[in-house]
Amino acid sequence: MKTDSFALRHLGPRENDLPKMLETIGVETLDQLIFETIPSDIRLKKPLDLEHIMSEYEYANHIRVLGRTNKVFKSYIGLGYHPTIVPPAIQRNIFENPGWYTAYTPYQAEIAQGRLEAILNFQTTVIELTGMEIANASLLDESTAAAEAMALLFDVRTRDQKKNNVCKFFVSEEILPQTLSVLQTRSTPIGVELVVGNHEEFDFSTEYFGAILQYPGKFGQVYDYADFIKTANEKEIKVAVAADILSLVKLTPPGEMGAAVVVGTTQRFGIPMGYGGPHAAYFATKDEYKRSMPGRIIGVSQDINGNRALRMALQTREQHIKREKATSNICTAQVLLSVMAGMFAVYHGPKGLMYIANKVHAKASTLADALNKLGVYQTNTAFFDTIVVKADANKVKEIAKQKEINFFYIDNETISMSMNETTSFQDLNEIIAVFAEATGKDAFEVSENVSEVNYPESLSRTSSFLTHDVFNKYHSETSLMRYIKKLERKDLSLNHSMIALGSCTMKLNAAAEMLPLSMPYWNGIHPFAPLNQVEGYTKMLKKLEHQLNVITGFAGTTLQPNSGAQGEYAGLMTIRAYHLSRGDDKRTVCLIPASAHGTNPASAAMAGMQIIVTKTMENGNIDVEDVRAKAIQYKDTLSCLMVTYPSTHGVFESAIREITQIIHDNGGLVYMDGANMNAQVGLTNPATIGADVCHLNLHKTFAIPHGGGGPGVGPICVNEKLVPFLPSNPLVKVGGDQAITAISGAPYGSALVCLISYGYICMLGAEGITNATKYAILNANYMKARLEEHYPILYVGEKGRAAHEMILDCRSFKEKGIEVTDIAKRLMDYGFHAPTVSFPVAGTLMIEPTESEDVAELDRFCDAMISIRQEIEAATKEDANNMLKNAPHTLAMLTSDTWNFPYSRETAAFPLDYIADNKFWPSVRRVDETYGDRNLICSCAPIEAYM
């Protein structure tokens, strides 16, 4: 056995398993299976041109050496990103723990209660610090959260405002520059007119529906916005505030000033900067806007016994279900990072957060006082953590660079500096020495903080926060560790069993790929650090872009989109820019097959496109003639086709090249949704099928873990004609020479986790990633062969093969009184997370095993499904007291004195022999979905509830 082969560790099936698997499928060789699955006219003719394969040990050395070429300077740049202390107890027990980072989105609430509680803690933290009524489970970053706030306020305009097409949105010139860029991107396609200006000179005209303010301002000035918000509200102009969450410990919350929405980032709550991400943004608003909120909301409900149980609330208002009526395409969150930020609040509690905020403000005040004594005068009249001074910026920059310190240089004579949780007196004295040298004066040292408070008393927070029990009892590491472990035990993750979710690709997230994320020379860098300090990042990111170009067959890549849906939007916006550059401003029609992901029409709507749905045939394939007819009908206005390949039905459609040619012949471009790229890599690619742009889910195909529902990375790869339009950033030069404005806040989006995909490709190489695709197809067809005698398979290719996933048709079981949800819940008793439920077809299960599951696990899952099929046969519509309807069965049920069920406890909890060896117990019974929506509670219970 080649112990240094990463592919051997990543791929599940062993070589001696292949004969059995191939015989079960009914093929002679693996190559025969691939030939029967993928149309020959789109097969790649030669191997991918990637560099030699590294072993895990070689990669570890490589990434360490490459990382050391990054220079980790002391960062006082600010602008929404700050050095922070990641509590080791949180780093080890959550950030580096596969029990947390390999979990899936908590759609199956009964086996996600731990994660749901952790997110509820996050929501509670946000609600209380912002002074708002409801918060979601996090968004992608502060800039995109601000854009979502603008979209929400546009959506909830008054009837008269909509009737009179009131479309102006005021943006304070204090807004962060990256946020302004994202607002510019998002506003134009939906018909919002941005007006940037000084909030103190705003005229509150009836032409405006909303405004956004920065609190504190981009360079630290703290303004009292109470009068502005009061006047705006009187004029029916709703106000969003982008607020620094740590400052809200000390300053009056925007909610208490009357804000309609408050957004920001929780990065400084114990999340490393990571050259821009991932970080959990927050979004809080008024209860009356809850049905227009983007993203997910975690709510309190109860199980069928009336016990408290958590779930994703208001699931039917998720944006991708609204399709083209959506105001957002974001149906994801930054769960892993929000869990960390929420746990930061739990660990420190209100007193700990107050201590940190006091320390940060005191350091800023002490530095301002010291620099004033040097004659370097501080100009902010009120501040929390950031000061602005007048000095010779070029001279200061040269000296600071030698001392490995980064400030933000506003212009040649103005410098801003943001203090943070890590700032010490030694740091302050280094800064003082820099300015002393620059001004030719004698340096001096400070050793204690000045006591002055540098914001008006009228802005000092008076309301209490985080009084709930959970924020006041886990302040020792022992207690926190046990609390985290208690929550972890309630969640089923990949470290317990296979998660066979179709369209979601829950594959191995190898430890060798994950370890570099904890290295300070990767995670300690500010996204706006000078380029000469980020040589390692630049090389890694450029290499990853090249790898993805090779894999997709395209000419250019941007890594900026920080989710798959964000990638969809970015791809459509480059298409839009291409047409506009040619004067084709009428090309706004987007054709979308009826079988497409729900985020596809939502993304197209956000990009300002007119959505025309094309038919799907009975066999699940795209109706080519309907595509042709509609492409010809709209040939003068056709912008693009959005297509998922292989299809959402798990089939490689042989007509794909004909379809893409039809679009091109009628003046449109082709966007390929990369959700199913795990069935393409190394065997075919988007360029070969005729696409012009695709997005990739690095959190699916390229091994970034799902993290319980985020982080994600959704880069887009484009052909030569679209390269000029790749997105830019206002502070770091990225993108094409005709670049659209920013898609997300940081130049490379969630750059830190891109290391994972880089490592995945480097260690597998061309042969390994191609074999990963082959084994994904092998595993899917092996499971199909085992299950098709028991469950109808809804769609197959022309030669009877599935791609990397398949759909089990469960609709006929209604005759037995069994719904597909019952099967999903019963699988929990067998130790498995359900496959994708009722997508893309209601009443079905979509199964995707991935390449990293071994045959023993595939067999366990198949055995469970076959056993459940027998249970379905035994069920009757008249008698709902059966194992499927009562599932899942909890430990409390099994150990209860009473047992009022017509089957044994053993059959309920241990229906197959393998289960006893590694039993997973759901912590609650089936959750009452509607109760939680009728009684929407999205934060922890008040302290009185515990008394």
PDB file of all heavy atoms in Angstrom, residues 251-275:
ATOM      1  N   LEU A 251     -21.661  51.814  22.840  1.00  0.00           N
ATOM      2  CA  LEU A 251     -22.430  52.899  22.233  1.00  0.00           C
ATOM      3  C   LEU A 251     -23.915  52.562  22.174  1.00  0.00           C
ATOM      4  O   LEU A 251     -24.295  51.393  22.155  1.00  0.00           O
ATOM      5  CB  LEU A 251     -21.915  53.172  20.813  1.00  0.00           C
ATOM      6  CG  LEU A 251     -20.437  53.554  20.665  1.00  0.00           C
ATOM      7  CD1 LEU A 251     -20.084  53.717  19.193  1.00  0.00           C
ATOM      8  CD2 LEU A 251     -20.118  54.833  21.439  1.00  0.00           C
ATOM      9  N   THR A 252     -24.746  53.573  22.089  1.00  0.00           N
ATOM     10  CA  THR A 252     -26.194  53.389  21.964  1.00  0.00           C
ATOM     11  C   THR A 252     -26.506  52.538  20.727  1.00  0.00           C
ATOM     12  O   THR A 252     -26.072  52.870  19.623  1.00  0.00           O
ATOM     13  CB  THR A 252     -26.903  54.747  21.828  1.00  0.00           C
ATOM     14  OG1 THR A 252     -26.575  55.544  22.965  1.00  0.00           O
ATOM     15  CG2 THR A 252     -28.408  54.567  21.738  1.00  0.00           C
ATOM     16  N   PRO A 253     -27.233  51.454  20.876  1.00  0.00           N
ATOM     17  CA  PRO A 253     -27.533  50.591  19.728  1.00  0.00           C
ATOM     18  C   PRO A 253     -28.407  51.312  18.694  1.00  0.00           C
ATOM     19  O   PRO A 253     -29.296  52.094  19.073  1.00  0.00           O
ATOM     20  CB  PRO A 253     -28.291  49.412  20.334  1.00  0.00           C
ATOM     21  CG  PRO A 253     -28.018  49.467  21.797  1.00  0.00           C
ATOM     22  CD  PRO A 253     -27.778  50.905  22.125  1.00  0.00           C
ATOM     23  N   PRO A 254     -28.195  51.063  17.404  1.00  0.00           N
ATOM     24  CA  PRO A 254     -29.029  51.694  16.364  1.00  0.00           C
ATOM     25  C   PRO A 254     -30.510  51.392  16.524  1.00  0.00           C
ATOM     26  O   PRO A 254     -31.354  52.224  16.178  1.00  0.00           O
ATOM     27  CB  PRO A 254     -28.480  51.097  15.064  1.00  0.00           C
ATOM     28  CG  PRO A 254     -27.079  50.697  15.386  1.00  0.00           C
ATOM     29  CD  PRO A 254     -27.109  50.267  16.814  1.00  0.00           C
ATOM     30  N   GLY A 255     -30.836  50.213  17.056  1.00  0.00           N
ATOM     31  CA  GLY A 255     -32.239  49.881  17.271  1.00  0.00           C
ATOM     32  C   GLY A 255     -32.917  50.842  18.225  1.00  0.00           C
ATOM     33  O   GLY A 255     -34.094  51.169  18.071  1.00  0.00           O
ATOM     34  N   GLU A 256     -32.174  51.328  19.207  1.00  0.00           N
ATOM     35  CA  GLU A 256     -32.726  52.295  20.161  1.00  0.00           C
ATOM     36  C   GLU A 256     -32.865  53.689  19.544  1.00  0.00           C
ATOM     37  O   GLU A 256     -33.539  54.544  20.097  1.00  0.00           O
ATOM     38  CB  GLU A 256     -31.853  52.338  21.423  1.00  0.00           C
ATOM     39  CG  GLU A 256     -31.905  51.030  22.213  1.00  0.00           C
ATOM     40  CD  GLU A 256     -31.006  51.036  23.440  1.00  0.00           C
ATOM     41  OE1 GLU A 256     -30.540  52.124  23.849  1.00  0.00           O
ATOM     42  OE2 GLU A 256     -30.755  49.943  23.994  1.00  0.00           O
ATOM     43  N   MET A 257     -32.214  53.887  18.397  1.00  0.00           N
ATOM     44  CA  MET A 257     -32.353  55.156  17.669  1.00  0.00           C
ATOM     45  C   MET A 257     -33.485  55.093  16.640  1.00  0.00           C
ATOM     46  O   MET A 257     -33.785  56.095  16.002  1.00  0.00           O
ATOM     47  CB  MET A 257     -31.052  55.496  16.939  1.00  0.00           C
ATOM     48  CG  MET A 257     -29.846  55.727  17.818  1.00  0.00           C
ATOM     49  SD  MET A 257     -28.420  56.131  16.766  1.00  0.00           S
ATOM     50  CE  MET A 257     -27.081  56.118  17.946  1.00  0.00           C
ATOM     51  N   GLY A 258     -34.043  53.891  16.423  1.00  0.00           N
ATOM     52  CA  GLY A 258     -35.138  53.765  15.470  1.00  0.00           C
ATOM     53  C   GLY A 258     -34.761  53.203  14.119  1.00  0.00           C
ATOM     54  O   GLY A 258     -35.536  53.306  13.157  1.00  0.00           O
ATOM     55  N   ALA A 259     -33.572  52.604  13.998  1.00  0.00           N
ATOM     56  CA  ALA A 259     -33.145  52.021  12.717  1.00  0.00           C
ATOM     57  C   ALA A 259     -34.083  50.882  12.305  1.00  0.00           C
ATOM     58  O   ALA A 259     -34.649  50.178  13.155  1.00  0.00           O
ATOM     59  CB  ALA A 259     -31.716  51.501  12.819  1.00  0.00           C
ATOM     60  N   ALA A 260     -34.237  50.712  10.994  1.00  0.00           N
ATOM     61  CA  ALA A 260     -35.081  49.631  10.467  1.00  0.00           C
ATOM     62  C   ALA A 260     -34.281  48.335  10.288  1.00  0.00           C
ATOM     63  O   ALA A 260     -34.827  47.241  10.423  1.00  0.00           O
ATOM     64  CB  ALA A 260     -35.684  50.048   9.126  1.00  0.00           C
ATOM     65  N   VAL A 261     -33.000  48.472   9.958  1.00  0.00           N
ATOM     66  CA  VAL A 261     -32.127  47.317   9.762  1.00  0.00           C
ATOM     67  C   VAL A 261     -30.756  47.675  10.325  1.00  0.00           C
ATOM     68  O   VAL A 261     -30.306  48.822  10.190  1.00  0.00           O
ATOM     69  CB  VAL A 261     -31.959  46.956   8.260  1.00  0.00           C
ATOM     70  CG1 VAL A 261     -31.133  45.684   8.102  1.00  0.00           C
ATOM     71  CG2 VAL A 261     -33.299  46.800   7.567  1.00  0.00           C
ATOM     72  N   VAL A 262     -30.099  46.704  10.949  1.00  0.00           N
ATOM     73  CA  VAL A 262     -28.709  46.883  11.384  1.00  0.00           C
ATOM     74  C   VAL A 262     -27.905  45.700  10.853  1.00  0.00           C
ATOM     75  O   VAL A 262     -28.319  44.541  10.997  1.00  0.00           O
ATOM     76  CB  VAL A 262     -28.583  46.962  12.919  1.00  0.00           C
ATOM     77  CG1 VAL A 262     -27.151  47.328  13.318  1.00  0.00           C
ATOM     78  CG2 VAL A 262     -29.559  47.975  13.496  1.00  0.00           C
ATOM     79  N   VAL A 263     -26.783  46.001  10.205  1.00  0.00           N
ATOM     80  CA  VAL A 263     -25.933  44.949   9.634  1.00  0.00           C
ATOM     81  C   VAL A 263     -24.493  45.184  10.058  1.00  0.00           C
ATOM     82  O   VAL A 263     -24.133  46.261  10.536  1.00  0.00           O
ATOM     83  CB  VAL A 263     -26.014  44.921   8.093  1.00  0.00           C
ATOM     84  CG1 VAL A 263     -27.424  44.645   7.607  1.00  0.00           C
ATOM     85  CG2 VAL A 263     -25.484  46.227   7.483  1.00  0.00           C
ATOM     86  N   GLY A 264     -23.683  44.170   9.847  1.00  0.00           N
ATOM     87  CA  GLY A 264     -22.257  44.297  10.149  1.00  0.00           C
ATOM     88  C   GLY A 264     -21.591  42.952  10.081  1.00  0.00           C
ATOM     89  O   GLY A 264     -22.149  41.971   9.572  1.00  0.00           O
ATOM     90  N   THR A 265     -20.381  42.882  10.627  1.00  0.00           N
ATOM     91  CA  THR A 265     -19.651  41.622  10.673  1.00  0.00           C
ATOM     92  C   THR A 265     -19.356  41.272  12.123  1.00  0.00           C
ATOM     93  O   THR A 265     -19.224  42.164  12.966  1.00  0.00           O
ATOM     94  CB  THR A 265     -18.325  41.709   9.887  1.00  0.00           C
ATOM     95  OG1 THR A 265     -17.604  40.479  10.034  1.00  0.00           O
ATOM     96  CG2 THR A 265     -17.440  42.842  10.389  1.00  0.00           C
ATOM     97  N   THR A 266     -19.278  39.968  12.407  1.00  0.00           N
ATOM     98  CA  THR A 266     -18.888  39.528  13.748  1.00  0.00           C
ATOM     99  C   THR A 266     -17.451  39.022  13.755  1.00  0.00           C
ATOM    100  O   THR A 266     -17.051  38.294  14.650  1.00  0.00           O
ATOM    101  CB  THR A 266     -19.838  38.416  14.260  1.00  0.00           C
ATOM    102  OG1 THR A 266     -19.818  37.326  13.327  1.00  0.00           O
ATOM    103  CG2 THR A 266     -21.259  38.934  14.408  1.00  0.00           C
ATOM    104  N   GLN A 267     -16.674  39.440  12.763  1.00  0.00           N
ATOM    105  CA  GLN A 267     -15.291  38.961  12.634  1.00  0.00           C
ATOM    106  C   GLN A 267     -14.482  39.207  13.903  1.00  0.00           C
ATOM    107  O   GLN A 267     -13.709  38.354  14.324  1.00  0.00           O
ATOM    108  CB  GLN A 267     -14.617  39.635  11.425  1.00  0.00           C
ATOM    109  CG  GLN A 267     -13.183  39.190  11.173  1.00  0.00           C
ATOM    110  CD  GLN A 267     -12.152  40.097  11.802  1.00  0.00           C
ATOM    111  OE1 GLN A 267     -12.262  41.320  11.745  1.00  0.00           O
ATOM    112  NE2 GLN A 267     -11.156  39.520  12.445  1.00  0.00           N
ATOM    113  N   ARG A 268     -14.708  40.365  14.532  1.00  0.00           N
ATOM    114  CA  ARG A 268     -13.857  40.652  15.689  1.00  0.00           C
ATOM    115  C   ARG A 268     -14.323  39.917  16.948  1.00  0.00           C
ATOM    116  O   ARG A 268     -13.753  40.108  18.023  1.00  0.00           O
ATOM    117  CB  ARG A 268     -13.729  42.158  15.919  1.00  0.00           C
ATOM    118  CG  ARG A 268     -14.935  42.911  16.304  1.00  0.00           C
ATOM    119  CD  ARG A 268     -14.689  44.423  16.202  1.00  0.00           C
ATOM    120  NE  ARG A 268     -13.458  44.865  16.821  1.00  0.00           N
ATOM    121  CZ  ARG A 268     -12.999  46.133  16.806  1.00  0.00           C
ATOM    122  NH1 ARG A 268     -13.689  47.086  16.208  1.00  0.00           N
ATOM    123  NH2 ARG A 268     -11.876  46.454  17.388  1.00  0.00           N
ATOM    124  N   PHE A 269     -15.327  39.049  16.810  1.00  0.00           N
ATOM    125  CA  PHE A 269     -15.716  38.158  17.906  1.00  0.00           C
ATOM    126  C   PHE A 269     -15.010  36.806  17.729  1.00  0.00           C
ATOM    127  O   PHE A 269     -15.623  35.759  17.593  1.00  0.00           O
ATOM    128  CB  PHE A 269     -17.236  37.981  17.948  1.00  0.00           C
ATOM    129  CG  PHE A 269     -17.964  39.036  18.741  1.00  0.00           C
ATOM    130  CD1 PHE A 269     -17.432  40.308  18.903  1.00  0.00           C
ATOM    131  CD2 PHE A 269     -19.182  38.775  19.339  1.00  0.00           C
ATOM    132  CE1 PHE A 269     -18.091  41.292  19.637  1.00  0.00           C
ATOM    133  CE2 PHE A 269     -19.858  39.750  20.075  1.00  0.00           C
ATOM    134  CZ  PHE A 269     -19.305  41.016  20.226  1.00  0.00           C
ATOM    135  N   GLY A 270     -13.682  36.866  17.711  1.00  0.00           N
ATOM    136  CA  GLY A 270     -12.887  35.641  17.751  1.00  0.00           C
ATOM    137  C   GLY A 270     -12.752  34.901  16.439  1.00  0.00           C
ATOM    138  O   GLY A 270     -12.536  33.686  16.434  1.00  0.00           O
ATOM    139  N   ILE A 271     -12.823  35.617  15.304  1.00  0.00           N
ATOM    140  CA  ILE A 271     -12.638  34.981  13.995  1.00  0.00           C
ATOM    141  C   ILE A 271     -11.381  35.565  13.350  1.00  0.00           C
ATOM    142  O   ILE A 271     -11.260  36.798  13.241  1.00  0.00           O
ATOM    143  CB  ILE A 271     -13.843  35.231  13.052  1.00  0.00           C
ATOM    144  CG1 ILE A 271     -15.177  35.029  13.774  1.00  0.00           C
ATOM    145  CG2 ILE A 271     -13.736  34.361  11.807  1.00  0.00           C
ATOM    146  CD1 ILE A 271     -15.458  33.634  14.240  1.00  0.00           C
ATOM    147  N   PRO A 272     -10.437  34.741  12.896  1.00  0.00           N
ATOM    148  CA  PRO A 272      -9.232  35.300  12.278  1.00  0.00           C
ATOM    149  C   PRO A 272      -9.548  36.072  10.997  1.00  0.00           C
ATOM    150  O   PRO A 272     -10.533  35.788  10.309  1.00  0.00           O
ATOM    151  CB  PRO A 272      -8.365  34.065  11.986  1.00  0.00           C
ATOM    152  CG  PRO A 272      -9.227  32.881  12.148  1.00  0.00           C
ATOM    153  CD  PRO A 272     -10.417  33.272  12.956  1.00  0.00           C
ATOM    154  N   MET A 273      -8.692  37.065  10.666  1.00  0.00           N
ATOM    155  CA  MET A 273      -8.937  37.895   9.478  1.00  0.00           C
ATOM    156  C   MET A 273      -8.869  37.073   8.192  1.00  0.00           C
ATOM    157  O   MET A 273      -9.647  37.298   7.265  1.00  0.00           O
ATOM    158  CB  MET A 273      -7.942  39.053   9.423  1.00  0.00           C
ATOM    159  CG  MET A 273      -8.177  40.120  10.464  1.00  0.00           C
ATOM    160  SD  MET A 273      -7.096  41.554  10.235  1.00  0.00           S
ATOM    161  CE  MET A 273      -5.496  40.851  10.664  1.00  0.00           C
ATOM    162  N   GLY A 274      -7.912  36.146   8.114  1.00  0.00           N
ATOM    163  CA  GLY A 274      -7.860  35.199   6.994  1.00  0.00           C
ATOM    164  C   GLY A 274      -7.828  35.846   5.621  1.00  0.00           C
ATOM    165  O   GLY A 274      -8.395  35.313   4.675  1.00  0.00           O
ATOM    166  N   TYR A 275      -7.190  37.005   5.503  1.00  0.00           N
ATOM    167  CA  TYR A 275      -7.082  37.722   4.224  1.00  0.00           C
ATOM    168  C   TYR A 275      -8.455  38.005   3.625  1.00  0.00           C
ATOM    169  O   TYR A 275      -8.620  38.078   2.419  1.00  0.00           O
ATOM    170  CB  TYR A 275      -6.184  36.956   3.241  1.00  0.00           C
ATOM    171  CG  TYR A 275      -5.626  37.808   2.113  1.00  0.00           C
ATOM    172  CD1 TYR A 275      -5.092  39.073   2.353  1.00  0.00           C
ATOM    173  CD2 TYR A 275      -5.622  37.339   0.813  1.00  0.00           C
ATOM    174  CE1 TYR A 275      -4.580  39.853   1.328  1.00  0.00           C
ATOM    175  CE2 TYR A 275      -5.102  38.118  -0.233  1.00  0.00           C
ATOM    176  CZ  TYR A 275      -4.590  39.368   0.038  1.00  0.00           C
ATOM    177  OH  TYR A 275      -4.089  40.147  -0.992  1.00  0.00           O
TER     178      TYR A 275
END
